[in-house]
């Protein structure tokens, strides 16, 4: 029996598992108390659970073993799966479709020489969020100006590079000059705004003299209002997330955006990536091709050890990560 690795996402519940054979004791983080403001370690509890025997239609996924026993033919022997399993080391699942239409688990296709961990980043949900959320909703054209917030995060760093592939002038917004250096020097972004230290309005005017055509919004809040006030007629906004408000107890206030939306006839649309579940592997294939061609670069911020899950999660919320934050179960 050989060993395999499991990678758990720190930002959401999708996990990359290898199918396992034996019944084991699972470790899991459970809520003691719902988060109130910024998450505290005392809100969670690390527990151990004896898993029952698996039934027809189920499979057992675990961290350390390649061999496995399955009673669900949709998840063939020896394959890796990405599943909505929670912060757990071992899980019995049927891989059923979730109420939102998303598969409870999907089998990772062949990545060739690329690392398996990419199933949690550019070759999985994150990559598809960037690929479909940007291209389908922003419809970028050669020569247009695109701005991305959360630009050094997992999704944003891919969106900016896809915008460059499409021939756009790309501005990234993130929270440190080191991140800016990475975006402009390594990933090919044209310019960078540090939203913590720069005058965002002034910098946008400098880097987008012809105003902004596409905005990929990961963060919401006042930065988004500032950007929308400086968009072109018929500009497009893809609303991916609102990370600036995730840990607030009350919804943050920002300058109203109806004025620029009306007068510049902007189109603003939110999305959930499972909208494109029918085209899931198209996104993965295209991003894989771009990675292999050297057009799409990625970076992972890896934390070792399942027990360090909480620290990895709060580091991500504090903006410590470059690219995708993942936890390697050791
Ligand atoms: N709609 C969908 O289907 C879908 C799917 C996946 C993800 N998402 C959303 O997409 C967004 C990005 O996800 P991700 O996985 O790329 O995130 P990520 O890699 O975890 O990056 C998050 C980054 O956001 C930045 N940030 C944190 N607080 C901020 C604040 N108050 N204002 C501005 N920036 C802040 C931090 O970097 P700096 O502050 O240092 O820049 C942090 O590194 C999230 O909102 C997530 O919920 C949506």
């Amino acid at each position: 029996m050989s060993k395999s690795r499991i990678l758990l996402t720190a930002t959401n519940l999708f996990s990359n598992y290898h199918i396992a054979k034996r019944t084991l004791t699972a470790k899991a983080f459970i809520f003691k108390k719902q988060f109130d403001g910024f998450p505290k370690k005392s809100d969670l509890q690390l527990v151990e659970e004896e898993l029952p025997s698996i039934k027809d239609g189920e499979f057992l996924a675990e961290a350390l073993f390649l061999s496995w026993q399955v009673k669900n033919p949709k998840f063939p022997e020896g394959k890796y799966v990405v599943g909505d399993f929670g912060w757990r080391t071992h899980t019995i699942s049927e891989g059923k479709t979730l109420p939102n239409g998303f598969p409870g688990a999907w089998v990772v296709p062949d990545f060739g020489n690329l690392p398996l961990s990419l199933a949690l980043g550019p070759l999985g949900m994150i990559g598809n969020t960037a690929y479909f959320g940007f291209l389908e909703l922003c419809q970028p054209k050669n020569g247009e100006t695109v701005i991305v917030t959360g630009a050094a995060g997992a999704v944003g760093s891919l969106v900016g590079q896809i915008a460059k592939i499409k021939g756009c002038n790309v501005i990234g917004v993130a929270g440190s000059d080191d991140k800016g250096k990475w975006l402009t020097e390594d990933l090919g972004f044209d310019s960078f705004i540090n939203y913590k230290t720069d005058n965002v309005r002034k910098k946008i005017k400098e880097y987008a003299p012809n105003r902004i055509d596409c905005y990929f919004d990961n963060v919401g809040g006042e930065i988004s209002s500032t950007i929308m006030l400086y968009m072109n007629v018929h500009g497009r906004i893809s609303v991916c997330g609102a990370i600036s408000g995730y840990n607030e107890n009350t919804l943050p206030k920002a300058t109203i955006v109806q004025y620029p939306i009306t007068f510049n006839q902007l189109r603003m649309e939110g999305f959930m990536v499972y909208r494109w579940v029918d085209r899931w592997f198209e996104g993965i294939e295209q991003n894989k091709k771009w990675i292999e061609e050297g057009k799409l670069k990625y970076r992972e911020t890896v934390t070792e050890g399942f027990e360090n899950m909480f620290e990895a999660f709060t580091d991500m919320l504090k903006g410590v990560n470059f690219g995708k934050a993942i936890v390697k179960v050791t």
Side-chain angles (χ1 to χ4, degrees):
M1 222 173 324
S2 52
K3 279 190 178 180
S4 74
R5 289 180 296 181
I6 292 176
L7 300 160
L8 305 179
T9 62
T11 52
N12 51 52
L13 299 181
F14 287 90
S15 314
N16 187 347
Y17 279 79
H18 196 271
I19 305 299
K21 186 171 186 176
R22 303 185 314 181
T23 302
L24 289 170
T25 303
K27 284 185 191 169
F29 280 99
I30 58 167
F31 271 120
K32 257 195 336 203
K33 185 174 166 292
Q34 281 291 339
F35 297 143
D36 180 15
F38 197 82
K40 292 184 282 303
K41 196 164 186 180
S42 55
D43 296 333
L44 298 179
Q45 190 177 358
L46 181 57
V47 296
E48 294 200 345
E49 290 172 10
E50 282 298 325
L51 296 181
S53 303
I54 60 169
K55 300 197 274 299
D56 283 343
E58 293 180 336
F59 59 87
L60 167 65
E62 71 162 325
L64 296 174
F65 300 99
L66 279 171
S67 52
W68 62 307
Q69 171 193 12
V70 69
K71 295 188 179 177
N72 185 332
K74 280 196 291 185
F75 297 92
E77 184 170 354
K79 292 285 184 185
Y80 289 88
V81 292
V82 174
D84 186 3
F85 297 156
W87 290 11
R88 309 173 52 84
T89 57
H90 311 82
T91 299
I92 292 174
S93 169
E94 295 174 40
K96 268 189 184 165
T97 302
L98 305 176
N100 60 20
F102 202 77
W106 51 272
V107 175
V108 176
D110 181 13
F111 284 174
N113 292 327
L114 295 172
L116 181 64
S117 60
L118 299 197
L120 301 181
L123 300 185
M125 189 266 287
I126 291 294
N128 280 349
T129 301
Y131 177 80
F132 293 114
F134 175 57
L135 292 179
E136 294 294 324
L137 301 197
C138 285
Q139 300 279 327
K141 295 178 196 62
N142 187 39
E144 287 191 327
T145 294
V146 173
I147 190 163
V148 187
T149 47
V155 175
S157 57
L158 298 174
V159 168
Q161 294 181 82
I162 294 172
K164 284 310 301 173
I165 292 169
K166 296 293 167 186
C168 300
N169 169 38
V170 181
I171 307 168
V173 183
S176 78
D177 289 343
D178 278 349
K179 289 185 176 181
K181 205 162 175 273
W182 178 56
L183 295 178
T184 52
E185 292 181 12
D186 295 347
L187 302 191
F189 283 54
D190 296 282
S191 43
F192 163 70
I193 300 174
N194 184 332
Y195 73 91
K196 291 183 179 163
T197 56
D198 285 332
N199 178 327
V200 175
R201 194 161 168 270
K202 219 170 129 190
K203 287 283 178 187
I204 292 175
K205 285 187 171 180
E206 182 184 335
Y207 298 142
N210 299 321
R211 303 178 81 92
I212 288 157
D213 301 289
C214 304
Y215 172 31
F216 192 89
D217 185 1
N218 276 316
V219 305
E222 192 58 35
I223 295 173
S224 293
S225 300
T226 305
I227 291 169
M228 285 183 222
L229 282 161
Y230 201 67
M231 290 188 71
N232 266 323
V233 174
H234 296 308
R236 286 87 65 199
I237 302 148
S238 173
V239 182
C240 176
I243 204 162
S244 71
Y246 287 169
N247 298 309
E248 304 293 332
N249 290 329
T250 53
L251 283 177
K253 292 187 173 147
T255 305
I256 61 164
V257 291
Q258 283 78 3
Y259 173 82
I261 288 177
T262 305
F263 288 96
N264 285 331
Q265 303 181 67
L266 306 180
R267 198 183 69 222
M268 178 174 178
E269 186 172 346
F271 71 92
M272 292 306 294
V273 66
Y274 52 72
R275 186 194 295 195
W276 294 284
V277 69
D278 293 347
R279 296 170 60 191
W280 199 248
F281 295 100
E282 170 198 323
I284 292 175
E285 267 311 307
Q286 180 58 74
N287 285 334
K288 178 170 172 269
K289 192 162 176 284
W290 281 332
I291 289 174
E292 285 166 345
E293 290 168 353
K295 293 180 180 161
L296 201 56
K297 295 182 182 156
Y298 61 87
R299 188 156 160 183
E300 295 172 327
T301 299
V302 183
T303 302
E304 300 265 344
F306 181 76
E307 282 74 11
N308 297 321
M309 196 84 196
F310 179 81
E311 287 74 16
F313 172 61
T314 47
D315 274 357
M316 178 277 297
L317 292 175
K318 289 181 211 155
V320 171
N321 63 301
F322 281 58
K324 181 66 186 159
I326 54 175
V327 173
K328 184 155 90 173
V329 176
T330 46

